[in-house]
Amino acid sequence: MKRRSKIGLLMVFMLVANLIVAEPISLAADSGSFTRQISSGGTASFHNSSEGVDTGVQWPEFPKGLDGNEADAGGTGNTGNPASPVINRSKSDKGRDDGGSDDGSRNNAKGKLLQSFTGLNLRQQRLANGGNQFTLEPPDQGLCVGNGFVLESVNDVLRVFDTSGNPRSGVVDLNTFYGYPAAINRSTGEQGPFITDPSCYYDNDTHRFYHVVLTLDVDPASGAFLGSNHLDIAVSKTSDPTGDWNIYRLPVQDDGSDGTPNHGCDNGPNAYGPCLGDYPHIGADAYGFYITTNEYSFFGNGYFGAQIYALSKYALAAGPASIGVTQFDTLGAVNGNPGFTVWPAISPDHDFDYRSGGTEYFLSSTAADEANGTHSARQIVLWALTNTRSLNSANPGVSISNTLLNVKLYTVPPASNQKNGPAPLRDCLNDASPNGCGTFLLGAKPPFTETLAPLDSNDSRMQQVTYAHGKLYGALDTGVKINGQTKAGIAWYIINPEAEGKRVKGEVNKQGYLAVPGNNVNYPAIAINSKGKGIMAFSLVGDDYYPSAAYATISEAGVGEVQVAGLGAGPQDGFSGYKTFGNPPRPRWGDYGAAVADGENIWIASEYIAQTCTLQQYVSAPFGSCGGTRTSLGNWATRVSQVKP
C-alpha cells in the first residue's frame, strides 16, 4: 500500500446555493424519438495477446486523420495532425481569462487511501497484440468494479484485476476483444477499424459488466475513414468479466443507412458526410442502460446535438438475437439550443429513482460552442427519462424532459501549465543535427523548436454523474480565480431532482469550486456510496506538481481536502504537445476520468505520469523506451486507487 501524500497550503472552495429553483421546460413524450432493432454482433472474450518487440518507432505511428492527410511524422518528414479530431471533438477555443472566484471556505473531511497501483499505460497500449497498434493520446478512462473484479479500459486496451490489484488477465487490445482485425498489421500494413472512447459499468441488478466503445470503419488498405461508425456494446455472459461476452453493434452515422434516422449531417457550409457519434458515455437506472453521444458532421465541422440511446439492461443481459433501442435527438431541445455531452447517471448498489415508472437523470452544461454558448455560463441542464420500466416491453413509452438550473459562473478553462522537468522527446526533437536524435526519430530534420506545452483542460462539458440518496452529483472543468490567477479548476454540483410524469424539476442543493493555488485540477469523476459519502477523482498539475492522480471527499456536507493517490514523476512528454506532430499542438490530457462505488468504498482512476528519464536514457537501446518505462512518442499512465470516504 502506498502511503497517502497530503498537499500543503491547498484551498477547497464551496459555495452554498440557497435552493435555487428553476421552472421546468418539457418536451413532448415522443419528441425526437426513434425506435429500432439492432442485432447481435457475435461474442467477445479475453484472449490474451502477446506483447510486441519494442523497435522504437514504426511509421505510421498514428491513424489517418479525418482531413485525409497521413497522421504520422515519419519516413518522408511529412507531418499531419495526429491528434485526430474523432477522439473528443471540441469546437470551443482556449479558456477565458476569468472564472468563478473563491470564498475560501472548505471542510476538513479526508478519505482513507486503502490501496493504489499503476494501471494501464501507453507502452502496454502500443505493444499489445504483438505491437500491431498505434500510438494514441489521450488514454481516456473506463473503470468498473464488481464481484471482486476491477476492469480498467483505456484507448485502446483493457485489463482485469482483482480487488487486491493483481492482474487477472493480460493486456488485451480492443480490436481483438471486439473481434476486429488489428489496428494495423505491421507486416502487411492492413488496418482494422479505429476504436476509441471506452466506458464500462457493472450492474448489481443483472450481475453483468457492460462495456461500450465508438468504432469507426476504415479502408483496410489506406486507413482512410469510410464514414460509417457504430457503438459496440459488450455485455458479459456472467458476473466474471474474464469469461465470454455478447456484442451488439449500434450504427450511429444517422444518415438513413443501416436503419439509422437521417439527421442531415451533410447540410450546411461546415458539414458534409454522415454523422459521427462522438464521446459516448453510459449510465443505468433500475430498468435501462443508456448511452449518450455528441453528434457532429463526420467530415465537417457541424454540430447536430447530443443523442440519447435507451435499452433494457435486462434484455442486454439475457443476450437475445436482437434488441430494441429508443433514440432521442436533443437538437433544439434546450430553449432552441442543442444538448451537449448529456451525461447519464449511475447509482451505487440499487439506489435508483423508481418514481414515474422509473427515472434516469442526466446533466449537461451550456458554455461550449456546441451548446451555442459564449464560453461562460450560469446555467446547467437537468434531464430526465421517465417510464423507463417500459423499456422491458415491446413498445417502450419513455418520455424525455429537461429544465435549466441557475448556478454560479463557470467558464471554458485555461490550459493547465506543467511543472518543468525532464522531457526527452522534446529534447530529441530539438536535436536537429544531421546525425541527431530528432533526425533519427523522424527520418528528416525536425521542423520546429519545441517547448514543454501546457495540458488540455477540457471545454466545460459535464463530466461523470452519479445519482445516490435522492441527490444528483456532477462536476465540470472551469476557470477559477485564485490568488489573482485564473487556473483550471472544478465546479461541482449537488442537486435535488424530481421527475413528475413527463416533466422534471430540480433544486441546486449545494455547489462550489475546487482549486489549488498555483496548480490546476481537471477531469473530475464523482462516485457516491449507498451511505451518501463519495470521492471526486481528478488530475493535479501545475507549478508544484507533475501530472498526478488526486482526489477529495464529497458528500452533502461539501468537498474535503485534496489528497494525492499517485504523485507524478515527471512532465507529460507526448507527441500531441509538440508542433512537429500538429501545428498548433493540442497537448491531450484526460478527456475523462472514472470513479465507481463498490460497497462502502470508492474506486477511482485518473491519468498521471509514472516515469521520468533523461535524453541519454531515452536514446539508449531500445530507443525511446527509457528502460521499458515509456515509448518514444509518449509517456502517459493511469493510477487506480481504492478509497474509503
Side-chain angles (χ1 to χ4, degrees):
M1 180 187 300
K2 271 191 169 292
R3 188 175 65 180
R4 181 176 66 237
S5 174
K6 180 182 176 183
I7 298 176
L9 300 177
L10 61 89
M11 301 181 75
V12 178
F13 312 112
M14 180 176 67
L15 298 171
V16 180
N18 295 319
L19 295 180
I20 302 171
V21 182
E23 290 299 318
I25 301 169
S26 296
L27 302 176
D30 60 352
S31 175
S33 65
F34 180 84
T35 300
R36 56 183 145 145
Q37 294 284 317
I38 59 172
S39 300
S40 173
T43 60
S45 61
F46 273 83
H47 300 295
N48 292 337
S49 58
S50 61
E51 184 176 288
V53 177
D54 188 355
T55 60
V57 66
Q58 292 176 289
W59 304 113
E61 278 290 339
F62 314 114
K64 185 182 288 291
L66 287 182
D67 57 2
N69 295 322
E70 287 294 340
D72 70 79
T76 64
N78 295 325
T79 58
N81 180 10
S84 175
V86 300
I87 306 179
N88 176 9
R89 284 192 170 185
S90 176
K91 293 169 67 66
S92 294
D93 204 346
K94 294 181 180 179
R96 298 161 54 100
D97 188 24
D98 60 11
S101 297
D102 67 86
D103 65 357
S105 63
R106 62 187 175 97
N107 66 53
N108 295 315
K110 298 179 181 179
K112 183 179 181 181
L113 186 63
L114 301 177
Q115 62 176 312
S116 185
F117 57 91
T118 296
L120 294 163
N121 61 45
L122 175 57
R123 183 175 177 82
Q124 291 173 319
Q125 132 68 31
R126 176 59 182 82
L127 296 181
N129 196 17
N132 293 306
Q133 294 272 93
F134 289 113
T135 295
L136 298 175
E137 290 181 340
D140 298 339
Q141 183 65 65
L143 183 76
C144 47
V145 181
N147 193 37
F149 296 97
V150 178
L151 191 158
E152 186 191 17
S153 183
V154 299
N155 288 326
D156 255 342
V157 288
L158 47 73
R159 191 173 207 179
V160 177
F161 302 87
D162 62 26
T163 51
S164 296
N166 302 306
R168 294 293 302 272
S169 77
V171 177
V172 180
D173 65 291
L174 295 180
N175 282 62
T176 296
F177 180 76
Y178 279 98
Y180 295 118
I184 180 170
N185 186 312
R186 292 292 174 184
S187 298
T188 66
E190 182 178 348
Q191 296 188 32
F194 179 75
I195 297 179
T196 186
D197 288 339
S199 296
C200 69
Y201 166 74
Y202 177 76
D203 184 66
N204 284 295
D205 286 343
T206 59
H207 305 292
R208 295 291 188 271
F209 287 84
Y210 299 77
H211 190 275
V212 172
V213 295
L214 170 63
T215 301
L216 293 85
D217 296 325
V218 306
D219 177 79
S222 67
F225 293 116
L226 300 177
S228 53
N229 59 109
H230 40 96
L231 300 176
D232 285 347
I233 307 166
V235 185
S236 64
K237 292 186 176 182
T238 69
S239 57
D240 183 348
T242 64
D244 292 336
W245 298 56
N246 290 316
I247 295 176
Y248 295 88
R249 308 200 195 280
L250 172 60
V252 292
Q253 61 264 27
D254 286 355
D255 60 357
S257 65
D258 294 332
T260 64
N262 191 339
H263 287 172
C265 290
D266 56 350
N267 295 330
N270 297 315
Y272 52 97
C275 302
L276 170 69
D278 192 41
Y279 205 65
H281 286 288
I282 59 181
D285 70 350
Y287 308 104
F289 179 74
Y290 309 95
I291 311 172
T292 64
T293 65
N294 289 329
E295 190 161 273
Y296 294 87
S297 173
F298 196 107
F299 296 110
N301 195 35
Y303 179 69
F304 293 84
Q307 306 298 308
I308 301 174
Y309 300 91
L311 306 88
S312 165
K313 70 180 184 183
Y314 289 96
L316 282 170
S322 64
I323 187 171
V325 180
T326 299
Q327 177 179 350
F328 293 89
D329 181 8
T330 71
L331 186 63
V334 186
N335 280 353
N337 298 310
F340 174 59
T341 309
V342 181
W343 201 301
I346 58 173
S347 299
D349 297 334
H350 312 279
D351 194 4
F352 305 117
D353 190 341
Y354 294 91
R355 295 172 295 179
S356 298
T359 298
E360 169 69 4
Y361 294 107
F362 310 72
L363 290 175
S364 65
S365 60
T366 62
D369 289 352
E370 286 88 340
N372 293 331
T374 60
H375 292 194
S376 66
R378 296 180 182 272
Q379 291 182 316
I380 60 174
V381 190
L382 168 65
W383 304 74
L385 287 184
T386 54
N387 195 28
T388 60
R389 180 173 52 198
S390 69
L391 291 170
N392 294 321
S393 68
N395 298 296
V398 185
S399 299
I400 186 172
S401 59
N402 73 71
T403 187
L404 288 163
L405 303 178
N406 296 322
V407 297
K408 299 294 183 178
L409 175 70
Y410 63 93
T411 67
V412 175
S416 296
N417 67 295
Q418 296 193 74
K419 177 182 175 181
N420 196 20
L425 175 56
R426 172 199 61 190
D427 297 341
C428 178
L429 294 170
N430 286 336
D431 182 358
S433 61
N435 296 315
C437 180
T439 305
F440 174 79
L441 175 67
L442 302 179
K445 181 181 177 180
F448 300 103
T449 298
E450 303 288 3
T451 58
L452 193 67
L455 303 179
D456 185 6
S457 301
N458 214 342
D459 57 5
S460 81
R461 68 183 70 193
M462 188 63 63
Q463 297 289 279
Q464 185 172 313
V465 177
T466 295
Y467 177 81
H469 266 225
K471 301 288 191 297
L472 200 60
Y473 295 75
L476 51 80
D477 295 281
T478 182
V480 175
K481 287 185 178 179
I482 179 169
N483 293 349
Q485 295 179 304
T486 300
K487 310 295 286 187
I490 294 168
W492 54 267
Y493 310 99
I494 304 176
I495 296 165
N496 298 326
E498 184 179 357
E500 298 178 341
K502 299 177 182 180
R503 296 168 65 88
V504 64
K505 62 182 180 180
E507 300 174 342
V508 180
N509 180 268
K510 282 188 175 69
Q511 60 179 311
Y513 301 113
L514 184 146
V516 177
N519 296 276
N520 307 274
V521 288
N522 50 40
Y523 297 99
I526 296 174
I528 308 294
N529 65 21
S530 58
K531 294 185 176 181
K533 297 181 178 180
I535 295 292
M536 179 165 61
F538 43 86
S539 290
L540 167 69
V541 58
D543 295 347
D544 307 308
Y545 294 92
Y546 298 124
S548 302
Y551 65 93
T553 61
I554 184 170
S555 68
E556 292 183 42
V559 171
E561 294 185 1
V562 174
Q563 299 174 84
V564 174
L567 192 63
Q572 192 262 16
D573 182 43
F575 70 87
S576 63
Y578 298 122
K579 293 181 288 186
T580 296
F581 305 105
N583 192 18
R586 185 187 175 193
R588 301 306 304 279
W589 189 259
D591 278 6
Y592 49 94
V596 61
D598 181 36
E600 293 188 6
N601 299 323
I602 305 294
W603 287 88
I604 58 176
S606 301
E607 186 177 0
Y608 86 127
I609 299 299
Q611 65 84 236
T612 186
C613 64
T614 65
L615 179 60
Q616 182 177 358
Q617 293 170 313
Y618 178 88
V619 298
S620 300
F623 177 84
S625 74
C626 290
T629 63
R630 61 167 291 161
T631 71
S632 58
L633 298 176
N635 65 333
W636 59 257
T638 63
R639 192 77 180 180
V640 179
S641 304
Q642 185 187 34
V643 186
K644 184 178 182 62

